[in-house]
């Protein structure tokens, strides 16, 4: 398998524009996670899905952020309108239910977002 | 990262041994992971502990004490390519990871 695939790798946009980040999880994985990484706060979980259903979105910063998973092989994270403080690396990760506790997550290469 | 405490930076010499410590809050604990992240790359899985004791995997070992809320990652025979950030990660609650901010390890020749 090619692993978790994210696009684009880099995104530069202007404040106020809409940004859409994309993720293709590893085939057969039933969990998908969106994270944001900054120098100050490290890796923060934004939202995760199980079988395409959002389970916990308590990490989503505010209403400007939304995430969807229309099918098992695709998810999007949208920011509208974007702000400079959204600049970060956004990672997508996927995993499968190996057992009730061990849940190794496999990360995509990330999208580096710069909002000017 | 909330609840996770690990040193910000460490420096060691090629061929040496280094131990990276991590403490976490014990409520709702499901397991403790260590991930490696090279600059500009994605985190990759290194080790997993759910029971007390030492798990060894080649040059890397990870230890857990659940009663103390303590773990460490031990790296032996350090190589230059081990220069990276090492993330202590608590699995707390169903499938949720809580990441530490990571320990940036520099390996010097």
């Amino acid at each position: 398998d090619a692993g978790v695939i994210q696009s684009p790798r880099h995104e530069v946009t202007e404040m106020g524009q809409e940004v859409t980040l994309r993720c293709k999880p590893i085939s057969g994985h039933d969990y998908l996670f969106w994270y944001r990484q900054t120098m100050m706060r490290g890796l923060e979980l934004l939202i995760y899905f199980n079988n395409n259903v959002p389970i916990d979105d308590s990490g989503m910063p505010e209403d400007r952020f939304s995430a969807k998973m229309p099918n098992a092989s695709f998810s999007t994270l949208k920011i509208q309108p974007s702000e400079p403080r959204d600049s970060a690396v956004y990672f997508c990760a996927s995993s499968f239910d190996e057992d009730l506790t061990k849940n190794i997550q496999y990360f995509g290469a990330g999208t580096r977002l710069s909002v000017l | 990262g909330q609840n996770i405490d690990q040193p910000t930076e460490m420096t060691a010499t090629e061929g040496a041994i280094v131990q990276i410590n991590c403490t976490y809050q014990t409520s709702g604990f499901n397991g403790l992971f260590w991930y490696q992240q090279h600059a500009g790359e994605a985190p990759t899985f290194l080790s997993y502990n759910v029971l007390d004791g030492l798990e060894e995997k080649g040059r890397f070992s990870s230890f857990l004490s659940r009663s103390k809320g303590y773990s460490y990652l031990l790296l032996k025979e350090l190589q230059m390519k081990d220069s990276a950030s090492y993330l202590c990660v608590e699995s707390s609650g169903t499938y949720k990871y809580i990441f530490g901010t990571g320990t940036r390890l520099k390996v010097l020749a």
Side-chain angles (χ1 to χ4, degrees):
Chain A
D1 199 314
V4 176
I5 299 173
Q6 290 187 246
S7 64
R9 289 296 311 276
H10 301 276
E11 176 81 33
V12 180
T13 190
E14 291 187 347
M15 182 173 65
Q17 296 298 305
E18 177 179 296
V19 175
T20 300
L21 311 181
R22 297 172 176 79
C23 176
K24 181 181 187 307
I26 294 172
S27 177
H29 282 193
D30 52 0
Y31 286 85
L32 184 139
F33 305 81
W34 281 102
Y35 292 91
R36 176 171 68 178
Q37 187 174 37
T38 60
M39 289 290 290
M40 290 297 294
R41 299 173 67 88
L43 266 164
E44 300 173 283
L45 177 66
L46 300 176
I47 185 171
Y48 79 93
F49 296 82
N50 176 218
N51 292 323
N52 314 338
V53 176
I55 302 300
D56 186 342
D57 65 355
S58 59
M60 295 286 262
E62 48 198 270
D63 291 346
R64 297 185 297 107
F65 286 68
S66 62
K68 293 182 180 178
M69 192 163 186
N71 57 62
S73 59
F74 183 64
S75 176
T76 59
L77 177 69
K78 188 177 292 187
I79 309 172
Q80 165 65 14
S82 58
E83 297 181 3
R85 62 190 165 125
D86 301 330
S87 297
V89 180
Y90 290 81
F91 285 103
C92 175
S94 71
S95 69
F96 69 99
D97 192 352
E98 191 168 340
D99 61 43
L100 285 179
T101 57
K102 187 175 183 180
N103 177 34
I104 298 170
Q105 296 185 16
Y106 298 85
F107 285 76
T111 295
R112 183 174 296 277
L113 173 65
S114 297
V115 183
L116 307 177
Chain B
Q2 65 197 56
N3 306 331
I4 307 282
D5 191 28
Q6 55 181 127
T8 305
E9 276 192 8
M10 298 182 73
T11 303
T13 306
E14 200 174 11
I17 299 173
V18 71
Q19 178 174 314
I20 303 174
N21 297 323
C22 169
T23 56
Y24 63 91
Q25 290 197 0
T26 56
S27 60
F29 175 80
N30 276 347
L32 197 289
F33 295 79
W34 285 93
Y35 276 71
Q36 180 190 58
Q37 186 177 24
H38 284 100
E41 297 183 12
T44 55
F45 169 76
L46 280 181
S47 70
Y48 170 75
N49 295 72
V50 65
L51 300 176
D52 289 353
L54 191 68
E55 293 280 341
E56 296 188 76
K57 199 192 260 189
R59 294 190 299 114
F60 293 4
S61 303
S62 57
F63 171 84
L64 178 68
S65 168
R66 288 173 296 170
S67 62
K68 295 180 181 176
Y70 168 70
S71 173
Y72 68 72
L73 180 69
L74 192 72
L75 294 80
K76 304 175 192 173
E77 301 169 19
L78 278 174
Q79 302 175 8
M80 298 298 287
K81 66 178 181 179
D82 298 330
S83 293
S85 286
Y86 291 87
L87 307 172
C88 178
V89 189
E90 179 184 357
S91 176
S92 178
T94 307
Y95 305 115
K96 283 186 74 165
Y97 274 12
I98 300 171
F99 281 84
T101 49
T103 298
R104 195 161 51 250
L105 174 67
K106 291 183 189 176
V107 180
L108 305 176

